[in-house]
């Protein structure tokens, strides 16, 4: 009897100890499971927030780069109009030169026949060229309108779709996560700042006070002219220029295309002038000394063209305009202004997007903050299961602020001109700040600030 009783007591003690050890092991497994689920969901949620912030910042970078491309395209089309206007005045000058040459020398046997043929050929070419050039000016002006309008379309499309697409990015990365706009007032404010404050639409009327971007754009356009459009002036060589003491004669060809301002309320006008004149002087002595005197200009050819009827070359420009035509060939320049022609209906420099004064000497936007959350029941720890009692569930103590898991991420668009490709390196070696003329905007994740984290913490507690 005693032996049997002792054996039963030993079996009971072993079973109780085993149950205690099994419970401890089960709690350890459950704790490890919960910890791994929290780490896995936390990492996934942070990656979702990073991808979303990076995507919104990429919207901004692409918006900047599109505007940089279209601004460069607008400059190129402006220069193309300058070329068309320049070709028009150049053909008119050549036609006038051929007429004057024939009027003067067509009576000479043999030579007159040649000059007459040249005059007819040049006149025919000019008659064909002028309407073609006018049509090209019209098409280029429509292209400028399309580029300006496309910037507005892309601007507001990017403003609205950046926020709308953020939710799609969240769902694509984690279907259980969500982008709650109540938790994201910073996102709405950051997007507004990037699209409405960091950049502006600049126009002729807004070019006042501290805003000089419109004038800067015109400066970029003028500096981008090719050598033909900027200044096609030179002195002809022998026999057009020769010294046979005491006589000296020189022949100057002048010309260029300039953009003339018509005031704040009127669009600009592309103008062009081409002249060629013969200058004769004689070396003479007088009481004041011996020098070349009696400079006499004989106009040989002239032509002037405007892209619209807003500007009058007679009163526009100065002595440096059109390749110093008025300075070198003053008489021919007067004839050109008197016989100016208008080809096209140019609408002036169109409004365009550029960085604002707030972005002066900046190469990056402010942070774009994204907050992504996941409710506690979507984390799927043992707390969501009903198979165990709360007394032995370690997930009971896993409290989440606001009853949700929250992740914050920030990103920004930044400007960086490549230095590893010789074709893109600045020739002057100077630092280049952010701008909307070169498409070198990129995206990067950034560290969130204490202020951004404090706002997220306060909102999470309130909601």
């Amino acid at each position: 009897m005693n032996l049997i009783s002792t054996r039963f007591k030993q079996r009971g003690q072993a079973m109780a100890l085993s149950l205690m050890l099994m419970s401890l092991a089960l709690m350890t497994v459950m704790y490890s499971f919960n910890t791994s689920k929290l780490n896995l969901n936390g990492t996934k949620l942070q990656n979702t927030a990073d991808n979303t912030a990076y995507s919104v910042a990429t919207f901004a970078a692409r918006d900047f780069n599109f505007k940089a491309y279209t601004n460069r395209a607008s400059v190129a089309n402006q220069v193309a109009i300058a070329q068309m206007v320049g070709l028009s005045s150049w053909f008119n000058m050549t036609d006038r030169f051929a007429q004057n040459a024939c009027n003067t020398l067509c009576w000479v046997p043999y030579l007159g026949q040649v000059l007459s043929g040249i005059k007819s050929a040049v006149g025919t070419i000019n008659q064909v060229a002028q309407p073609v050039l006018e049509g090209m000016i019209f098409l280029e002006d429509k292209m400028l309108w399309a580029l300006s309008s496309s910037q507005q379309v892309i601007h507001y499309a990017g403003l609205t779709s950046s926020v709308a697409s953020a939710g799609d990015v969240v769902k694509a990365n984690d279907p259980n996560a969500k982008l709650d706009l109540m938790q994201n007032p910073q996102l709405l404010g950051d997007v507004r700042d990037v699209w409405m404050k960091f950049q502006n639409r600049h126009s002729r009327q807004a070019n006042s006070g501290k805003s000089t971007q419109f004038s800067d754009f015109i400066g970029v356009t003028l500096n981008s002219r090719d050598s033909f459009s900027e200044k096609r002036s030179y002195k002809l060589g022998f026999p057009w220029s020769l010294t046979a003491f005491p006589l000296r004669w020189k022949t100057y060809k002048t010309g260029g295309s300039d953009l003339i301002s018509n005031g704040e309320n009127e669009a600009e006008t592309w103008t062009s002038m081409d002249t060629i004149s013969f200058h004769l002087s004689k070396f003479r002595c007088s009481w004041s000394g011996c020098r070349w005197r009696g400079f006499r200009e004989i106009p040989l050819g002239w032509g002037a063209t405007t892209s619209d009827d807003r500007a009058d070359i007679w009163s526009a420009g100065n002595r440096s305009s059109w390749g110093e035509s008025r300075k070198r060939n003053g008489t021919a320049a007067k004839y050109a202004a008197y016989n100016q022609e208008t080809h096209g209906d140019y609408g002036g420099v169109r409004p365009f997007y550029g960085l604002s004064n707030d972005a002066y000497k900046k190469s990056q936007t402010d942070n774009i903050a994204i907050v992504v959350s996941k409710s506690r029941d979507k984390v799927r720890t043992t707390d969501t299961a009903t198979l165990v009692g709360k007394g032995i569930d370690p997930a009971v103590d896993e409290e989440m602020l606001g009853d949700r898991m929250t992740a914050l991420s920030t990103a920004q668009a930044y400007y960086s001109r490549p230095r590893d490709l010789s074709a893109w390196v600045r020739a002057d070696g100077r630092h280049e700040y952010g701008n909307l003329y070169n498409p070198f905007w990129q995206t990067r994740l950034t560290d969130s600030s204490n202020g951004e984290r404090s706002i997220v913490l306060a909102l999470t507690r309130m909601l």
Side-chain angles (χ1 to χ4, degrees):
M1 294 293 291
N2 294 334
L3 179 61
I4 295 174
S5 176
T6 301
R7 288 178 179 175
F8 284 158
K9 290 180 180 179
Q10 292 175 347
R11 290 177 183 175
Q13 292 174 356
M15 184 177 294
L17 181 61
S18 298
L19 288 174
M20 293 176 61
L21 293 174
M22 290 176 62
S23 299
L24 180 61
L26 179 60
M27 293 179 66
T28 302
V29 171
M30 294 169 64
Y31 180 81
S32 301
F33 173 78
N34 290 338
T35 301
S36 63
K37 290 290 289 184
L38 289 173
N39 289 337
L40 179 63
N41 281 273
T43 301
K44 187 175 183 179
L45 191 64
Q46 186 61 56
N47 288 338
T48 299
D50 290 343
N51 292 338
T52 306
Y54 194 90
S55 298
V56 175
T58 300
F59 266 96
R62 290 178 176 176
D63 177 79
F64 293 157
N65 288 333
F66 175 83
K67 289 165 182 173
Y69 278 120
T70 48
N71 282 339
R72 292 182 70 90
S74 296
V75 170
N77 280 272
Q78 292 284 355
V79 173
I81 294 178
Q83 292 173 337
M84 298 303 107
V85 174
L87 285 172
S88 175
S89 67
W90 187 88
F91 275 116
N92 283 334
M93 179 207 68
T94 305
D95 189 12
R96 175 62 63 178
F97 178 79
Q99 293 179 25
N100 291 338
C102 187
N103 293 338
T104 305
L105 299 174
C106 272
W107 59 270
V108 179
Y110 302 110
L111 179 60
Q113 296 177 352
V114 174
L115 293 177
S116 179
I118 294 175
K119 171 189 172 183
S120 299
V122 171
T124 301
I125 294 174
N126 190 35
Q127 289 179 357
V128 174
Q130 294 300 334
V132 172
L133 294 172
E134 184 172 357
M136 292 294 294
I137 293 172
F138 177 81
L139 292 176
E140 293 290 349
D141 186 62
K142 294 304 178 184
M143 183 63 70
L144 289 171
W145 174 86
L147 290 170
S148 178
S149 300
S150 68
Q151 284 191 342
Q152 270 196 304
V153 172
I154 294 299
H155 178 80
Y156 289 105
L159 174 63
T160 56
S161 61
S162 59
V163 178
S165 298
D168 297 335
V169 175
V170 171
K171 291 302 180 183
N173 282 268
D174 189 350
N176 294 323
K178 66 177 181 178
L179 182 73
D180 190 351
L181 293 181
M182 294 293 293
Q183 279 188 291
N184 282 277
Q186 293 184 99
L187 169 61
L188 301 178
D190 294 340
V191 169
R192 179 203 61 194
D193 291 344
V194 170
W195 265 269
M196 305 304 292
K197 291 186 177 180
F198 194 77
Q199 55 178 314
N200 289 132
R201 184 170 169 84
H202 304 289
S203 62
R204 189 176 305 103
Q205 289 75 17
N207 189 45
S208 59
K210 295 182 179 180
S211 180
T212 61
Q213 283 81 352
F214 192 81
S215 298
D216 294 341
F217 184 87
I218 293 178
V220 170
T221 300
L222 294 175
N223 291 332
S224 299
R225 289 173 295 175
D226 61 296
S227 57
F228 174 82
S229 300
E230 183 177 8
K231 187 177 182 180
R232 43 187 181 271
S233 301
Y234 50 88
K235 185 180 76 171
L236 279 68
F238 179 84
W240 297 95
S241 298
L242 181 64
T243 299
F245 193 84
L247 298 178
R248 182 178 68 180
W249 60 88
K250 298 179 181 179
T251 304
Y252 287 104
K253 159 66 183 73
T254 63
S257 300
D258 286 323
L259 186 64
I260 301 299
S261 174
N262 296 309
E264 293 184 0
N265 299 321
E266 290 287 342
E268 299 74 22
T269 300
W270 276 109
T271 60
S272 179
M273 180 184 292
D274 284 271
T275 65
I276 181 171
S277 292
F278 181 82
H279 298 264
L280 178 64
S281 59
K282 183 178 181 181
F283 191 86
R284 292 185 300 177
C285 296
S286 67
W287 63 271
S288 60
C290 298
R291 62 177 182 271
W292 295 101
R293 302 172 184 272
F295 295 97
R296 181 184 178 188
E297 178 189 349
I298 303 175
L300 302 178
W302 54 85
T305 302
T306 62
S307 61
D308 52 78
D309 57 4
R310 290 185 296 273
D312 185 0
I313 291 182
W314 188 267
S315 58
N318 51 50
R319 287 172 60 83
S320 299
S321 302
W322 310 298
E324 298 182 337
S325 291
R326 285 177 175 161
K327 180 179 180 180
R328 290 289 185 184
N329 299 333
T331 304
K334 292 180 180 179
Y335 290 166
Y338 182 78
N339 293 278
Q340 63 182 292
E341 296 181 359
T342 298
H343 293 290
D345 189 19
Y346 173 63
V349 177
R350 307 284 182 171
F352 67 96
Y353 276 93
L355 299 186
S356 66
N357 290 335
D358 294 338
Y360 180 68
K361 287 189 176 181
K362 286 187 178 181
S363 294
Q364 69 280 327
T365 64
D366 292 334
N367 282 348
I368 299 176
I370 293 286
V371 179
V372 179
S373 62
K374 181 186 294 187
S375 62
R376 182 174 180 176
D377 60 344
K378 298 296 183 181
V379 179
R380 306 296 295 176
T381 62
T382 57
D383 185 46
T384 61
T386 58
L387 300 178
V388 296
K390 291 186 177 181
I392 61 173
D393 187 3
V396 172
D397 297 327
E398 297 166 1
E399 296 183 359
M400 297 181 184
L401 189 63
D403 204 28
R404 66 172 72 90
M405 181 179 286
T406 303
L408 166 67
S409 182
T410 56
Q412 64 181 196
Y414 71 100
Y415 182 89
S416 178
R417 190 182 185 97
R419 296 181 178 272
D420 53 347
L421 297 175
S422 59
W424 300 112
V425 176
R426 287 181 63 103
D428 56 10
R430 301 176 66 182
H431 175 73
E432 183 174 316
Y433 290 101
N435 60 80
L436 294 188
Y437 292 104
N438 292 318
F440 298 137
W441 289 90
Q442 304 174 56
T443 308
R444 63 188 175 195
L445 294 174
T446 57
D447 294 331
S448 57
S449 65
N450 291 332
E452 291 166 335
R453 291 191 290 269
S454 298
I455 293 175
V456 174
L457 181 61
L459 288 174
T460 305
R461 285 176 174 172
M462 293 171 55
L463 299 176

